[in-house]
Amino acid sequence: MTELTKDAEKRALETCEAEPIRTPNTVQPHGLMCVFDADLTQLRHVSANACEYLGVPPSDLLGKPATSILDDNGIHALRNALMLRTSKTQREYLGPQNFSGGCYPCAVHRTGDLVVLEASPAPEGTASPHPKGLESLRWLMARQHEHMPFSEGIIKTVRDLRNMINYDRVMLYRFRPDGSGEVIAEDRTPDIQSFLGLRFPAQDIPRIARNICMEQPVRLIADLSAPDSELVSMPGATERPDLTLAEFRGTSPVHVQYLRNMGIRSSLVLPVIHEGSLWGMFSCHHRKPRFHGIEETLNLELAGQLLQLFVGNMLSQDRAIKLADFQKITAGFGERKQSGLDDLLDEADWMQLADHVCKELKVEGLSICSGTQRQEYGLQPAPGTEAGFDAELIPTQSGGIACSSKLTPPGTGKPQKPVTGMMRIRLLPDHDLFLRLYRTEENETVRWAGAPEKTTETDDAGTRLLPRSSFEEYRQQSAGHSRAWEPEDVVIAEALQTCIGRSVDIRRERLERENNFQLVIHELNHRVRNILSLIQSLIRQTSRVPSSLPQYAQALENRVLALARAHDLLTKTDRGILPVTDVVETEFAPHPAHQYQLDGRDVFLDKDTATVFVLVMHEMVTNAARHGALSVPEGQVSVSWFQRGTKLHLNWTEIGGPRVDDVATTGFGQFLIQQAVNDRLDGQTIIENHPGGVTMNLVLPGAIPERDIRKETIIRTTVPEKPATSLPRTFDHVLIVEDNPLIGAEIRFALAEAGVPIVSFAPRIAKAVEILESERIDAAVLDVNLGTETSQQVADRLREKGIPFVFLTGYAENFEWLTDFSDVPVLTKPVEFGQLAAVLHEATTERRSTQKDNRRILIVEDNTALRLEMLDTLEQQGHEVTVAANGEDAIALSSEDRFDGIILDMLLSQENSKKFRGSLTLISRVKRTTSDKRDARPPVPLLAISGGTEIDGGYSPLRTARDLGADEWLRKPVREADLLAWVNDLPRRR
């Protein structure tokens, strides 16, 4: 045994980390362990004490299947447990099972491609009483609702745990940032040593052991004086099974000696995990062996999880109180700032905030700096030393925050005085604005549980650490470091980061919003005036063309809608640019595809040109539909375009239409085109009326060069192929949700004209929900933006009820929640009723054709966990699932004949014969009921599953089920993929 040198310490720590404590190949002697392959057909490893439990030596068991040691009940329970996804992350309790050598409670879990089965007899004649089971857990759960300060709560928690398990000493051990730990609460018998307030060095619980604590919810060592039992392997089995989750995993010799030196014979550890990290543990010691059965261990595991929640809740409550107090003081800080850094360093505000920060975070000084600007408060580092400290700071999990409690000036190797601790907070992610907090050196007396100096021993296996022989209190003066930065300090620092960081930009954002608002108002006024002028011109010019009043109204409406489409397409992009392809395709969409041919790549137009271009295309398509090629089935229109520089060139050619001489081809349309293109935009347009049809050559300025086009998403609204004039008769009641009464009345009148008997109008969400819940609705029209509220709630409810609906929107509202309704049609105001009717009809048809391909499934399974597991798996895929826990319920449900398929466990009740007969009765009943000659539908497909083997004189449940008519059978554990494949292949019987 030697004192530890630096080199020896390094070798010893490496040896410690390399110890195979996950794969020890040993088992604690009070339990049986069997390790099978994944299919349970081969026992690959078994504990050397197998003869005590099974009456057969390990050599006679290795290589045999699980059926050689477990009866059919046990195999069934085992396969059920292995079907649970959680069997890979926790032990699954099987209850008492009949082994070849006796009846023992057991548990199972998966590890890689192996299955670990553990069993042990219930403790008898132990010196101490056992946990009080569910009664104790219920009482412990009731305590979780009590609210108390952390310091008071942890004392009560360890007292509660000791009363529950009756160990000699129960401690709450908290890990410190450097890996060492401290006992912060304790309850014990008077005659055992107290460790309250004592620290333990980090090497006492090495990193590999702490990692295991994150995975194993309870660790028991029943008798430290009893040697472990060897795990015997079958010939050729070279793998060492990972026993991390195993209750009877073998012990580490160093750890056993460590605990013996404490004077104890058994130990129990319940880890405390908080916010994803190992915060600490409940460490329980007893001076006599304590044998916990598997059932008791399950209770202890649940108790540990409850205590873990209790500690976590107390920590969170304490932190929330501190954070709330801090935020009250800092809440107004950002609002008082005017323009950013200059005002942030204002003396009065800064001094007030700095004083509070120092008190809350227990720091002696701080500074804030950006470039050459700096403001200081309290203690500051020695001149010229601060820059070198940054390299020593350790980043935290919070972005932009780093800290150290032991700073050394560059090149000295000695702690820096008077500042030995610093936390640096980056206040803005894109700016070198830093807040630094300073702490002075802390001279403290550390109370260790034994002298912390390490000793080693070297032999053929290498250099290893030796456990301390004494745990008597050892006092040590600690210097050269500041008070440690705790996780709670980081949380306060995050709040400070948010407060000050936001204050830098708050005024800038406010000024920017005000400037943007003025620009928007100016642009809006400009656009409104332009739109009103255009509409005035449309009204005046349209009236000059001789026509009847209905013709005049229709022509005017079409031109206003074209103008609306132009603005809609413009506002769908964030730069006010318009793709030519969208405009052309939108105008031709209502016409048969064989009557037009479009040829051209995307050319983008600026907003001034785009408005005119939309009207030009509308007039040309309208004239072609009324007088030209689109007015007869054999007519065709060809449109091609290209970009040259900043100009758009477009050619329009009509063929196969009526003779131009026989129809009127001049009017406001051509006048509008020539005036807008030639006069307003200084473009060129040549329209010629040839006997074969109209041609047009168009040249427009305002085409944006390709290099200036930024890739962007253009929202496209729904445009039906053909307007509809009426709605299907299935629409007896349509709901309109629209806050504008004039628009609502117009839609209401149009729907009534189309033959909808009942049209309900709701200007507000509350009224819409009331109608939905009280009346039968066949379809709905929802305005997206209802002023102070949106129609999201109504849309969610309609989707839940499966009712088709469409959205109406103004000028490109952008609500994030609309992305959840990407399959719902969107129409832009002003809307033509023909469009609305067509889209409503298409929405209904689409909903029916794309309805989720779900199945109605009945699951008959008596194992609760497995029943819920299959239920969850199928419901996640959209299937409708009904469950039954026994044959009687299943028969009653199956008689309703409403299922697409039935999944049946072949063993349902307590006795094998009853289980088997109950399952066969159900199969017979299902086949007989669904094969009735009066019912043309085929029998319900049935999947039989079982974990059993053979019962009742050699009968196989699965083979018999197949012979009696089960369509398919699978042996447990059933793979999720196989289960889903069977369900998804089922035909629907609806």
Side-chain angles (χ1 to χ4, degrees):
M1 185 171 67
T2 59
E3 292 295 327
L4 199 62
T5 64
K6 289 288 185 182
D7 186 56
E9 178 182 6
K10 180 181 178 181
R11 294 197 305 271
L13 290 174
E14 289 174 351
T15 301
C16 180
E17 293 293 339
E19 185 179 6
I21 61 176
R22 291 182 182 271
T23 58
N25 258 21
T26 58
V27 177
Q28 294 185 56
H30 62 284
L32 168 70
M33 182 179 292
C34 301
V35 183
F36 295 94
D37 63 356
D39 297 326
L40 305 178
T41 58
Q42 194 177 67
L43 179 61
R44 299 185 63 81
H45 310 272
V46 65
S47 54
N49 60 1
C51 193
E52 301 174 22
Y53 293 87
L54 305 178
V56 181
S59 57
D60 292 346
L61 295 170
L62 291 169
K64 292 186 177 180
T67 53
S68 65
I69 63 171
L70 277 173
D71 68 0
D72 190 71
N73 266 344
I75 294 295
H76 181 65
L78 180 61
R79 291 187 180 277
N80 275 348
L82 293 176
M83 278 190 68
L84 302 176
R85 283 172 283 191
T86 51
S87 64
K88 297 179 182 179
T89 56
Q90 67 179 23
R91 296 181 312 123
E92 303 294 343
Y93 175 62
L94 304 183
Q97 298 297 333
N98 292 317
F99 287 78
S100 55
C103 182
Y104 310 114
C106 51
V108 67
H109 71 273
R110 291 181 180 272
T111 174
D113 294 328
L114 300 175
V115 174
V116 179
L117 177 67
E118 298 179 276
S120 71
E124 294 180 4
T126 51
S128 303
H130 312 307
K132 302 178 183 63
L134 295 178
E135 179 184 348
S136 298
L137 290 175
R138 185 180 178 188
W139 171 77
L140 197 60
M141 186 177 293
R143 294 293 298 268
Q144 309 309 304
H145 300 290
E146 299 179 9
H147 299 286
M148 61 189 73
F150 181 76
S151 57
E152 178 185 344
I154 58 175
I155 295 174
K156 291 186 176 181
T157 300
V158 295
R159 186 182 303 154
D160 291 345
L161 179 58
R162 182 166 173 265
N163 286 334
M164 178 180 172
I165 64 177
N166 201 22
Y167 270 59
D168 290 334
R169 178 172 53 219
V170 175
M171 303 173 289
L172 179 56
Y173 179 94
R174 180 177 183 175
F175 288 104
R176 294 170 60 83
D178 62 357
S180 65
E182 180 181 358
V183 177
I184 61 173
E186 179 186 70
D187 194 67
R188 61 185 176 86
T189 59
D191 58 342
I192 194 171
Q193 180 184 356
S194 172
F195 290 136
L196 182 62
L198 300 187
R199 288 194 196 173
F200 293 76
Q203 71 268 14
D204 281 15
I205 307 177
R207 180 178 54 84
I208 187 172
R210 294 197 295 269
N211 290 342
I212 288 179
C213 285
M214 292 286 292
E215 303 174 51
Q216 189 178 37
V218 58
R219 174 59 170 163
L220 289 158
I221 301 180
D223 188 355
L224 289 161
S225 61
D228 286 347
S229 178
E230 182 185 358
L231 194 63
V232 184
S233 304
M234 66 175 287
T238 58
E239 75 275 359
R240 291 172 66 104
D242 187 334
L243 304 180
T244 298
L245 297 180
E247 177 182 347
F248 305 139
R249 172 168 52 88
T251 57
S252 161
V254 174
H255 184 55
V256 168
Q257 186 60 51
Y258 177 90
L259 294 175
R260 284 179 180 173
N261 291 347
M262 281 187 165
I264 62 173
R265 290 283 300 276
S266 56
S267 74
L268 162 66
V269 172
L270 301 172
V272 178
I273 299 171
H274 181 58
E275 296 182 343
S277 300
L278 184 64
W279 178 89
M281 60 178 64
F282 290 96
S283 183
C284 312
H285 296 162
H286 202 61
R287 288 172 292 184
K288 294 181 180 180
R290 287 294 300 270
F291 297 99
H292 295 277
I294 286 179
E295 291 173 317
E296 291 184 48
T297 305
L298 176 65
N299 289 336
L300 289 172
E301 184 176 322
L302 294 175
Q305 292 173 351
L306 285 173
L307 292 171
Q308 180 174 272
L309 287 173
F310 191 29
V311 172
N313 287 340
M314 289 190 295
L315 287 169
S316 298
Q317 288 170 11
D318 269 22
R319 179 181 297 178
I321 292 172
K322 289 181 180 179
L323 195 57
D325 291 341
F326 183 77
Q327 289 174 335
K328 284 179 183 178
I329 295 180
T330 59
F333 182 73
E335 295 299 326
R336 294 192 293 269
K337 301 298 100 188
Q338 296 300 311
S339 59
L341 280 178
D342 294 339
D343 281 345
L344 179 65
L345 303 181
D346 174 74
E347 183 72 16
D349 269 357
W350 170 251
M351 295 295 285
Q352 180 181 352
L353 181 66
D355 182 66
H356 181 70
V357 170
C358 288
K359 291 177 181 177
E360 188 66 35
L361 286 170
K362 295 181 175 61
V363 299
E364 288 71 37
L366 48 80
S367 68
I368 185 169
C369 58
S370 174
T372 59
Q373 290 181 292
R374 181 181 180 94
Q375 183 67 276
E376 299 177 349
Y377 179 87
L379 177 72
Q380 298 295 307
T385 59
E386 189 172 64
F389 293 158
D390 285 350
E392 299 185 48
L393 300 181
I394 301 171
T396 66
Q397 293 182 350
S398 299
I401 300 177
C403 58
S404 173
S405 58
K406 192 172 183 179
L407 299 173
T408 55
T412 67
K414 298 180 180 179
Q416 168 64 29
K417 297 181 180 180
V419 172
T420 53
M422 183 173 78
M423 176 181 284
R424 185 190 64 198
I425 307 170
R426 180 186 285 272
L427 298 177
L428 294 175
D430 56 349
H431 195 285
D432 288 337
L433 176 64
F434 293 101
L435 176 69
R436 288 180 170 87
L437 312 176
Y438 308 114
R439 281 179 175 168
T440 57
E441 182 180 15
E442 180 181 59
N443 292 308
E444 65 170 337
T445 300
V446 180
R447 300 169 57 221
W448 293 101
E453 288 76 16
K454 310 180 207 52
T455 56
T456 63
E457 181 178 75
T458 303
D459 55 19
D460 294 340
T463 301
R464 63 177 181 272
L465 291 172
L466 293 178
R468 294 193 302 285
S469 59
S470 171
F471 290 87
E472 293 298 325
E473 182 176 331
Y474 178 90
R475 292 177 180 258
Q476 182 183 56
Q477 289 299 120
S478 176
H481 60 83
S482 71
R483 180 175 174 270
W485 299 100
E486 301 288 348
E488 290 77 9
D489 297 329
V490 177
V491 172
I492 297 296
E494 289 174 343
L496 193 60
Q497 186 181 41
T498 301
C499 165
I500 300 181
R502 179 60 177 160
S503 71
V504 173
D505 272 348
I506 192 169
R507 179 58 179 168
R508 295 176 183 172
E509 292 178 0
R510 186 182 301 148
L511 291 173
E512 185 176 351
R513 285 196 302 269
E514 291 174 357
N515 291 336
N516 287 341
F517 181 73
Q518 293 300 323
L519 288 174
V520 169
I521 292 297
H522 179 75
E523 178 67 14
L524 181 60
N525 287 334
H526 173 72
R527 290 195 181 192
V528 168
R529 284 194 297 269
N530 285 346
I531 291 171
L532 291 175
S533 297
L534 279 172
I535 292 177
Q536 183 181 32
S537 177
L538 290 174
I539 294 172
R540 188 167 53 249
Q541 295 295 340
T542 304
S543 65
R544 295 173 182 173
V545 180
S547 61
S548 65
L549 183 59
Q551 290 174 333
Y552 166 78
Q554 185 64 50
L556 181 60
E557 180 183 1
N558 290 341
R559 284 168 177 155
V560 171
L561 287 172
L563 184 63
R565 283 195 294 272
H567 282 272
D568 179 52
L569 289 171
L570 283 170
T571 54
K572 296 302 181 187
T573 69
D574 59 7
R575 294 180 60 195
I577 60 177
L578 182 67
V580 168
T581 305
D582 280 13
V583 178
V584 179
E585 290 179 350
T586 298
E587 289 296 337
F588 277 99
H591 302 281
H594 70 275
Q595 284 200 263
Y596 60 89
Q597 181 177 357
L598 310 179
D599 181 19
R601 57 179 297 182
D602 259 346
V603 177
F604 291 85
L605 304 176
D606 62 32
K607 59 185 179 182
D608 292 330
T609 304
T611 303
V612 172
F613 180 69
V614 170
L615 288 174
V616 169
M617 291 307 302
H618 172 72
E619 293 301 330
M620 292 299 295
V621 173
T622 299
N623 286 338
R626 293 176 59 192
H627 311 298
L630 297 180
S631 65
V632 294
E634 62 273 14
Q636 285 191 334
V637 178
S638 173
V639 184
S640 62
W641 64 90
F642 60 91
Q643 179 177 347
R644 182 174 296 164
T646 60
K647 293 186 177 182
L648 167 69
H649 294 256
L650 181 141
N651 297 316
W652 173 289
T653 304
E654 297 182 30
I655 58 174
R659 291 184 58 83
V660 175
D661 295 341
D662 297 334
V663 296
T665 57
T666 59
F668 173 63
Q670 289 194 11
F671 170 76
L672 173 66
I673 292 173
Q674 292 174 349
Q675 183 186 55
V677 174
N678 298 345
D679 299 339
R680 181 178 173 184
L681 294 180
D682 197 22
Q684 298 176 7
T685 177
I686 301 174
I687 300 177
E688 297 180 349
N689 300 326
H690 299 286
V694 174
T695 64
M696 177 182 69
N697 295 317
L698 176 68
V699 178
L700 283 176
I704 302 174
E706 187 173 357
R707 64 178 180 273
D708 296 335
I709 298 298
R710 176 172 56 81
K711 297 293 184 183
E712 58 183 316
T713 302
I714 299 173
I715 305 170
R716 302 173 190 269
T717 52
T718 303
V719 179
E721 290 187 4
K722 289 185 178 180
T725 57
S726 62
L727 286 175
R729 188 63 186 89
T730 53
F731 286 147
D732 292 327
H733 191 172
V734 176
L735 170 64
I736 303 168
V737 182
E738 167 63 64
D739 61 334
N740 188 307
L742 293 177
I743 296 176
E746 183 69 22
I747 298 174
R748 193 174 189 175
F749 177 74
L751 291 175
E753 273 195 332
V756 178
I758 306 173
V759 181
S760 294
F761 175 71
R764 287 287 176 262
I765 296 300
K767 180 64 175 177
V769 172
E770 179 186 340
I771 294 173
L772 270 178
E773 300 305 330
S774 62
E775 302 182 32
R776 181 182 178 275
I777 301 297
D778 299 307
V781 180
L782 308 183
D783 185 9
V784 173
N785 189 354
L786 300 173
T788 58
E789 53 189 1
T790 70
S791 56
Q792 180 181 6
Q793 181 183 351
V794 181
D796 288 335
R797 195 72 186 101
L798 288 167
R799 173 161 283 178
E800 290 173 9
K801 288 176 167 286
I803 299 172
F805 60 97
V806 301
F807 284 122
L808 293 184
T809 180
Y811 286 96
E813 290 101 341
N814 185 21
F815 297 102
E816 288 187 6
W817 61 267
L818 279 176
T819 58
D820 296 332
F821 298 91
S822 57
D823 57 328
V824 177
V826 180
L827 287 174
T828 302
K829 299 175 183 178
V831 62
E832 186 181 12
F833 171 70
Q835 275 188 317
L836 178 60
V839 171
L840 268 178
H841 181 66
E842 290 173 7
T844 308
T845 305
E846 180 72 12
R847 184 179 68 87
R848 290 171 178 167
S849 64
T850 60
Q851 189 176 37
K852 199 161 188 176
D853 196 21
N854 60 326
R855 303 288 189 270
R856 296 170 299 180
I857 304 298
L858 172 63
I859 295 176
V860 188
E861 169 63 62
D862 58 348
N863 183 291
T864 302
L866 182 53
R867 189 165 65 242
L868 294 176
E869 184 91 8
M870 289 192 289
L871 172 69
D872 180 61
T873 296
L874 295 179
E875 284 190 339
Q876 284 185 3
Q877 299 298 316
H879 300 295
E880 300 174 23
V881 184
T882 304
V883 295
N886 55 68
E888 183 178 350
D889 291 345
I891 290 173
L893 289 167
S894 65
S895 65
E896 299 176 15
D897 191 29
R898 60 187 179 89
F899 298 105
D900 299 311
I902 298 177
I903 300 171
L904 170 67
D905 179 14
M906 289 299 295
L907 304 172
L908 289 177
S909 61
Q910 293 299 318
E911 299 178 18
N912 280 342
S913 60
K914 290 183 180 179
K915 292 180 182 180
F916 195 39
R917 285 198 294 270
S919 300
L920 298 183
T921 301
L922 177 60
I923 293 176
S924 175
R925 176 66 174 271
V926 168
K927 294 298 177 181
R928 184 175 67 252
T929 301
T930 59
S931 299
D932 195 307
K933 292 181 180 180
R934 292 170 296 178
D935 191 343
R937 291 177 294 177
V940 178
L942 190 143
L943 169 65
I945 61 175
S946 176
T949 52
E950 293 185 351
I951 58 174
D952 288 349
Y955 286 103
S956 166
L958 295 180
R959 184 173 63 249
T960 306
R962 182 182 55 189
D963 293 342
L964 288 176
D967 300 89
E968 192 169 343
W969 58 272
L970 293 172
R971 185 181 296 278
K972 297 179 181 178
V974 178
R975 293 191 313 129
E976 183 177 300
D978 294 336
L979 183 68
L980 291 175
W982 185 81
V983 171
N984 292 333
D985 286 344
L986 291 173
R988 282 198 282 186
R989 296 163 50 83
R990 319 184 172 185

